Amino acid sequence: MPDPVPPAVALRFEVVPVSAFKDNYVWTLRGAAGDSARYAAVVDPGEARPVLEYLSREKLELAAILATHHHADHVGGIAELVQEYRVPVYGPRHEPIATVTRPVSEGDQVSIPQLGASFSVLDIPGHTRAHIAYYGAGALFCGDTLFACGCGRLFEGTAEQMYASLQKLQALPDATRVYCGHEYTLANIGFAKAVEPQNAALKVREQRDRRLREAGSPTLPSMLGDEKATNPFLRCREPAVVESANKYLGARVSDPVRVFAAIRDWKNKF
Ligand SMILES: [Zn+2]
């Protein structure tokens, strides 16, 4: 008799939010069992202090640092962390981050052997010129590109680039857990309701996420399937979104990039 087929591979790590600044999350991967339970990796440590406190309290050793883009609230803590832990620092190949030792871009893999974890790198420009995401084990670390029920501002890229980046993320499976960089969800839902007042899934999401915040819990990670149903920036072909964009512009557009650009502009002023 052959051995029975094992269940779907259990995650070898769990992901814990460590709060930084006012509303940033430093996503902290920690080994779930065995030898890996001694190790952790962090994504976008904008501040070192809360990470160092967490590692020391939990008796964890840092194994790697991953950065999604060059903004200080995502990379500002790296220099202090690498003084304490000499670990590889992964980050976007085409952005100026002095502390990155392993520049990566689309097609590269990032392995963290201590955690049994491996991620594919995706290029997702728009918020910054060479923003990247890390995707693996059903988890997406996407910095300030895709937010829960929203998306990042266009600081260095064009609407075309950002729309294409969001489309790339949208192509991932519905069960993907989205770990974005900030707790902006309730404000984003407020805007999404202005764009799509009749979206029933949005109303359900608002109730759930409001309860989470009232209980002091993060609304993250979100599920990509929920984003597809409620995030207006992933819904630029939906008639209701197109209609709202047209109302905002006072003009008729249907091209999804122009719809996207219109609602991104509207959100800036909302
Ligand atoms: Zn940013």
Side-chain angles (χ1 to χ4, degrees):
M1 281 275 287
D3 288 339
V5 178
V9 181
L11 267 192
R12 299 229 193 116
F13 59 89
E14 54 178 323
V15 186
V16 177
V18 171
S19 293
F21 305 113
K22 184 167 143 278
D23 50 31
N24 282 71
Y25 290 126
V26 180
W27 294 110
T28 302
L29 287 58
R30 53 182 294 180
D35 206 33
S36 78
R38 290 167 38 217
Y39 293 101
V42 289
V43 182
D44 284 354
E47 261 190 307
R49 184 191 43 81
V51 174
L52 290 169
E53 283 173 7
Y54 180 80
L55 295 174
S56 128
R57 189 168 70 239
E58 300 290 321
K59 299 187 170 44
L60 292 166
E61 192 178 326
L62 194 63
I65 298 172
L66 283 64
T68 62
H69 68 293
H70 69 84
H71 286 159
D73 63 321
H74 294 253
V75 300
I78 295 176
E80 202 178 327
L81 290 174
V82 295
Q83 282 182 355
E84 189 87 10
Y85 302 96
R86 295 179 62 84
V87 298
V89 181
Y90 298 90
R93 189 182 303 280
H94 303 293
E95 290 197 357
I97 307 171
T99 46
V100 166
T101 58
R102 308 273 181 95
V104 289
S105 54
E106 178 112 10
D108 288 330
Q109 287 284 124
V110 169
S111 290
I112 309 171
Q114 296 93 329
L115 297 175
S118 181
F119 298 97
S120 305
V121 177
L122 305 172
D123 285 340
I124 49 168
H127 176 68
T128 57
R129 94 179 61 86
H131 195 305
I132 57 174
Y134 301 91
Y135 172 67
L140 173 70
F141 299 93
C142 52
D144 290 353
T145 298
L146 174 62
F147 284 127
C149 217
C151 77
R153 287 173 187 258
L154 305 179
F155 285 123
E156 297 170 10
T158 63
E160 285 82 356
Q161 285 176 322
M162 188 62 148
Y163 184 73
S165 294
L166 292 172
Q167 291 286 294
K168 186 187 283 184
L169 300 182
Q170 187 164 5
L172 298 173
D174 282 4
T176 303
R177 295 181 306 287
V178 179
Y179 295 93
C180 49
H182 292 267
E183 179 64 62
Y184 288 159
T185 313
L186 291 185
N188 286 344
I189 289 174
F191 175 71
K193 281 166 60 185
V195 179
E196 275 194 288
Q198 305 302 325
N199 184 333
L202 193 53
K203 288 172 189 164
V204 171
R205 181 174 195 178
E206 181 180 32
Q207 284 181 0
R208 185 194 59 202
D209 287 347
R210 205 172 278 288
R211 273 198 295 271
L212 284 169
R213 293 309 288 152
E214 281 163 9
S217 304
T219 58
L220 304 169
S222 68
M223 300 301 283
L224 190 59
D226 284 348
E227 297 305 330
K228 295 177 194 178
T230 57
N231 188 326
F233 298 100
L234 301 185
R235 298 169 58 76
C236 294
R237 292 176 190 276
E238 288 294 318
V241 176
V242 174
E243 190 189 314
S244 286
N246 285 343
K247 233 180 249 173
Y248 171 74
L249 288 173
R252 292 218 69 77
V253 301
S254 57
D255 171 57
V257 174
R258 295 183 69 186
V259 171
F260 171 78
I263 60 172
R264 185 55 267 183
D265 187 59
W266 180 9
K267 175 85 185 335
N268 292 345
K269 299 166 186 162
F270 189 73

